[in-house]
Amino acid sequence: MRFLEWSARRGGALLAVGIFAGLFIPPLAAAFRDVVTITVAGLMTLVLLRVDPAQVVAYLRRPVLVAALTFWLLLAMPVLTYAVAMAAGLDGPLGAALVISATGCAATSSPAFARMVGLDGEISLVVAVVTTLLVPFTAPPLALGLMGIDLAISLTGLMMRLALVVGLPLLISIAIRQAVAASTLKRVGPAVDGAVVWLVVLYGFGVMDGMLARLIAEPSWVLGDLALAFAGNFGMNAVTALAFFAAGKRLALAGGLLAGNRNMALYLAVLPAATDDRILLFFALCQFPLFLSPFLLRPVYARLRPA
């Protein structure tokens, strides 16, 4: 318990170390490559277990703002990203991967990341939960229907897989909440947060499998994809912050962090192996800006957020 509580307090450093350990220690990455899906499911379960339903309902006292952020993240941002990708000539697998990344829900770690950099953790929590529950119904029609991106899976198949990976952890977390006293859940909460950190680290190990060999074989291609992953993350962050600036600087910055840090773990868990490997590689590289954003952006937010 003490170790897990310590892990929760050192979460940012552990995430940064974990992603590079997975990259530079290939046997470690190979050992965890086949547990990515189960790790994602476990991560979703623990994160949802830490979400107090009553608290989420209370946050919905600002329904217009929550609806606006949700609409922006799940619908407006993918269309805008698609327009930018087409204008830049990114009409191949790389452009498709960038657009799909914009259809993802906010990362489940968003509330923790927001608190790390001094932003609004409350709105981050509710928008992360709402977008996670809605993404099985919004992302597949956008990616496979409206934008015609070939992911080697049918629209119905992708929706069902996403619904399973999101819905099953939701049901398990509800069952645990019914079986375990609220006081007990509150007492072990910091340890659960530590377990979440380690599941994210293990997930980071698994998605780095084969990345070092790919980097050595095709350095320009991998580094170019990595640059695009950072550009996509920080670009969506900046555009969203500007779009919601009128709602207040603190909230706009939190919305930007939500928009930049998307949950690519869901796609890596549900997309079939027949999906273009360049798309899957891009999703794996998206973990670098996600894992490193609390460190890289903390000084920026310190200057921009209100006192």
Side-chain angles (χ1 to χ4, degrees):
M1 291 285 286
R2 290 181 177 177
F3 173 72
L4 290 176
E5 291 171 0
W6 174 86
S7 300
R9 295 192 296 270
R10 299 291 184 270
L14 289 172
L15 292 176
V17 171
I19 194 70
F20 285 107
L23 174 63
F24 291 112
I25 309 176
L28 184 64
F32 287 95
R33 68 182 176 189
D34 294 327
V35 298
V36 167
T37 300
I38 190 65
T39 301
V40 170
L43 174 62
M44 294 286 292
T45 301
L46 292 183
V47 169
L48 290 171
L49 185 62
R50 288 288 282 148
V51 174
D52 183 352
Q55 189 180 39
V56 172
V57 171
Y59 292 157
L60 291 175
R61 65 186 182 273
R62 304 168 75 182
V64 175
L65 180 59
V66 171
L69 276 168
T70 300
F71 173 84
W72 178 266
L73 264 65
L74 295 182
L75 298 175
M77 202 74 250
V79 174
L80 179 59
T81 303
Y82 177 76
V84 171
M86 293 304 100
L90 293 173
D91 55 355
L94 197 53
L98 179 63
V99 174
I100 298 167
S101 71
T103 69
C105 58
T108 50
S109 55
S110 295
F113 281 14
R115 288 190 289 268
M116 283 182 193
V117 296
L119 298 180
D120 193 332
E122 293 185 356
I123 198 67
S124 299
L125 169 64
V126 69
V127 173
V129 171
V130 171
T131 57
T132 297
L133 297 178
L134 290 179
V135 76
F137 309 102
T138 60
L142 280 170
L144 301 177
L146 176 63
M147 298 176 183
I149 297 170
D150 183 11
L151 295 178
I153 188 172
S154 68
L155 174 61
T156 304
L158 181 56
M159 291 181 73
M160 290 182 63
R161 289 192 183 194
L162 281 172
L164 180 63
V165 174
V166 171
L168 187 59
L170 176 63
L171 294 176
I172 294 173
S173 67
I174 292 173
I176 294 173
R177 191 173 289 278
Q178 292 295 319
V180 180
S183 58
T184 301
L185 288 176
K186 183 176 182 180
R187 177 168 51 83
V188 301
V192 173
D193 289 340
V196 167
V197 169
W198 280 108
L199 282 177
V200 175
V201 169
L202 296 181
Y203 159 76
F205 290 162
V207 298
M208 287 296 106
D209 181 48
M211 187 66 71
L212 184 61
R214 194 72 176 263
L215 176 61
I216 294 172
E218 302 175 279
S220 59
W221 205 91
V222 173
L223 292 176
D225 273 22
L226 182 61
L228 183 63
F230 272 97
N233 183 303
F234 294 162
M236 286 188 281
N237 188 329
V239 169
T240 301
L242 290 173
F244 285 85
F245 188 79
K249 187 181 294 186
R250 189 180 182 86
L251 187 139
L253 293 174
L257 192 65
L258 285 166
N261 288 337
R262 302 300 184 103
N263 191 347
M264 294 296 96
L266 285 179
Y267 291 134
L268 287 169
V270 304
L271 288 177
T275 303
D276 192 309
D277 67 340
R278 289 170 291 184
I279 292 178
L280 298 177
L281 174 67
F282 180 80
F283 291 164
L285 290 170
C286 283
Q287 306 315 302
F288 282 96
L290 171 67
F291 279 42
L292 297 175
S293 60
F295 290 97
L296 298 178
L297 296 179
R298 188 197 302 267
V300 177
Y301 291 135
R303 292 178 62 87
L304 293 179
R305 68 173 183 259

